[in-house]
């Protein structure tokens, strides 16, 4: 089985989240100050990727706390979405402490 390209995963997850939230691409693109055509082509798979700042803007409009959610196998994991929201508010030092704690608690210790 071929591994899915990261941008393909992001495209599929973004499309799924927009659909689940009942959000249409046109108003999302406009509110994100992005060309409607650009977002639609990305969602249809006609373009491979978006600029990162464009993806961040679309995510902000869609209520996605962190574009990294789109890299997940399950972008609907509420627990992980809440963790991403908490991480955004941490300083680098605080994040390092949390990481150390998580690594100590993780079964693999990664």
């Amino acid at each position: 089985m071929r591994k899915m390209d990261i941008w393909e995963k992001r495209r599929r997850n973004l499309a799924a989240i927009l659909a689940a939230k009942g959000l249409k691409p046109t108003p999302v693109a406009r509110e994100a100050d992005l060309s409607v055509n650009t977002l639609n082509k990305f969602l249809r798979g006609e373009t491979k990727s978006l600029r990162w700042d464009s993806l961040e803007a679309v995510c902000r409009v869609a209520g996605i706390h962190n574009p990294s959610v789109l890299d997940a196998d399950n972008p609907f994991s509420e627990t992980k979405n809440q963790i991403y929201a908490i991480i955004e508010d941490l300083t680098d030092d605080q994040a390092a402490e949390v990481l150390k704690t998580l690594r100590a608690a993780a079964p693999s210790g990664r």
Side-chain angles (χ1 to χ4, degrees):
M1 184 176 182
R2 166 177 95 67
K3 184 178 177 184
M4 186 182 304
D5 172 84
I6 190 67
W7 279 100
E8 175 65 13
K9 184 182 276 189
R10 288 172 181 161
R11 181 188 69 75
R12 287 183 181 186
N13 286 341
L14 179 59
I17 290 171
L18 292 178
K21 291 184 173 198
L23 298 172
K24 302 289 183 201
T26 297
V28 169
R30 288 186 178 138
E31 191 173 334
D33 199 26
L34 181 67
S35 160
V36 172
N37 195 34
T38 298
L39 182 57
N40 281 323
K41 280 185 171 185
F42 177 66
L43 292 172
R44 288 191 304 261
E46 294 174 18
T47 56
K48 182 170 171 60
S49 64
L50 290 174
R51 287 190 346 248
W52 188 255
D53 61 324
S54 297
L55 184 63
E56 286 179 320
V58 170
C59 286
R60 178 187 43 75
V61 171
I64 300 168
H65 294 290
N66 187 318
S68 297
V69 168
L70 301 177
D71 297 349
D73 289 331
N74 178 6
F76 295 103
S77 169
E78 188 55 36
T79 302
K80 287 183 180 179
N81 288 332
Q82 289 174 5
I83 289 171
Y84 286 128
I86 291 168
I87 289 170
E88 284 182 345
D89 294 334
L90 296 176
T91 65
D92 285 343
D93 290 339
Q94 290 170 323
E97 285 300 313
V98 170
L99 180 59
K100 189 177 358 176
T101 302
L102 288 172
R103 281 190 173 142
S108 67
R110 289 194 290 168

